[in-house]
Amino acid sequence: MSFFDQIQTRSESINSLLCVGLDPHQKELPADQWSASEESRCEAAYQFCKRIIDATAEHTVCYKPNAAFFEALGTKLGNVT
C-alpha cells in the first residue's frame, strides 16, 4: 500500500484530516535537559513528542516532524531521534 493510500485509509477510518506537527522547541523542553548533554536533549525531545502523540493518536491521520528542531538537538543523536 502506498503512502498516500495509507493516509487516505487512515483519514477515512477516523473521519479526520488532522496532521500534527512535532516541533520540540528549546523553550518547551526542561531547561536542565537542554543545557545538558546531547543525549539528554534528545531524550527530552522524545518525551515531548511522545506526550503529543499519545494525547492525539486517536484523532490524527499523521505526524510531521519538523527537521530543523531535531537538527538543533545535536549533530550525532539529533538527526536520528
Side-chain angles (χ1 to χ4, degrees):
M1 182 181 293
S2 76
F3 171 78
F4 294 108
D5 289 338
Q6 291 178 48
I7 294 292
Q8 182 174 356
T9 299
R10 173 69 177 161
S11 177
E12 290 170 356
S13 73
I14 64 170
N15 192 30
S16 174
L17 298 173
L18 182 62
C19 175
V20 173
L22 299 174
D23 307 325
H25 193 277
Q26 175 182 352
K27 65 183 175 185
E28 296 168 341
L29 303 177
D32 61 324
Q33 289 184 324
W34 184 261
S35 60
S37 69
E38 181 177 341
E39 184 175 349
S40 180
R41 290 191 300 273
C42 290
E43 179 61 25
Y46 170 80
Q47 292 301 325
F48 173 83
C49 292
K50 185 174 182 327
R51 282 191 302 276
I52 291 171
I53 292 168
D54 289 346
T56 62
E58 69 181 270
H59 307 289
T60 303
V61 175
C62 59
Y63 295 89
K64 182 203 167 290
N66 186 328
F69 287 96
F70 292 92
E71 291 167 357
L73 297 173
T75 58
K76 296 178 185 171
L77 299 173
N79 293 325
V80 296
T81 300

